[in-house]
Amino acid sequence: MIPLSQPRPTAINIFAAAFFTAALVPFLDGISDLALTETRLQVEYPYFPWDRDRVIIWLSSWLTIALIPLAMVWLLAAPFARWLVSAMTLLKAPGALASAAVLFEGNGEAERLISFAFAVLGVVMLFLPASQQWFARPKEIDPAVFE
């Protein structure tokens, strides 16, 4: 683990803020209107018995899943995490494009599009030269770990 006292490159800090925002926007949108979120989930997954508690668990799980690669990049400088974040963002693309189409028709919600925009910003930050150096840096031996 890279010590928290060690400064991160600006591109990595921007990535962390953007990707955290991309994860937080859908969470806050869903948690702000649990009844609507429950209705959406019942339509998307009709075979599962949704209730308020399960919706909160679902939203919290997705937030946690998004924060894992963020921690892998910011705390561990794990090169694998860069590709994981890119894949996660690519998987968001169809939903964001569908949201954009519905939004332009005048009756859609912008949260998926906003989340996707922040995720794309985060991915771009991961492939800048400063980020390349962050991932390529030699791994330090932590004196707290004994072999």
Side-chain angles (χ1 to χ4, degrees):
M1 186 165 114
I2 298 167
L4 296 176
S5 61
Q6 185 174 4
R8 271 74 176 151
T10 303
I12 295 298
N13 289 332
I14 292 172
F15 154 76
F19 203 69
F20 179 71
T21 303
L24 196 60
V25 166
F27 174 80
L28 293 176
D29 180 60
I31 210 84
S32 67
D33 192 353
L34 287 172
L36 178 62
T37 305
E38 183 178 344
T39 304
R40 283 188 205 154
L41 288 171
Q42 285 175 345
V43 169
E44 290 180 30
Y45 307 101
Y47 51 85
F48 191 78
W50 292 103
D51 61 11
R52 184 176 188 271
D53 293 337
R54 289 183 175 130
V55 170
I56 292 170
I57 291 169
W58 175 267
L59 292 170
S60 300
S61 298
W62 280 106
L63 179 63
T64 303
I65 289 168
L67 294 180
I68 291 169
L70 187 144
M72 290 172 65
V73 169
W74 205 75
L75 294 173
L76 303 174
F80 168 78
R82 174 175 30 183
W83 298 106
L84 182 63
V85 168
S86 300
M88 290 171 71
T89 302
L90 188 61
L91 289 174
K92 279 185 169 184
L97 294 176
S99 293
V102 172
L103 186 64
F104 290 129
E105 292 173 3
N107 56 354
E109 296 180 20
E111 71 87 44
R112 278 189 181 173
L113 199 55
I114 292 168
S115 176
F116 181 69
F118 277 107
V120 168
L121 173 63
V123 168
V124 168
M125 292 295 120
L126 289 179
F127 289 94
L128 293 178
S131 298
Q132 299 283 359
Q133 293 172 354
W134 173 253
F135 290 112
R137 56 179 275 156
K139 304 303 179 213
E140 300 162 355
I141 298 173
D142 186 359
V145 177
F146 299 102
E147 293 184 26

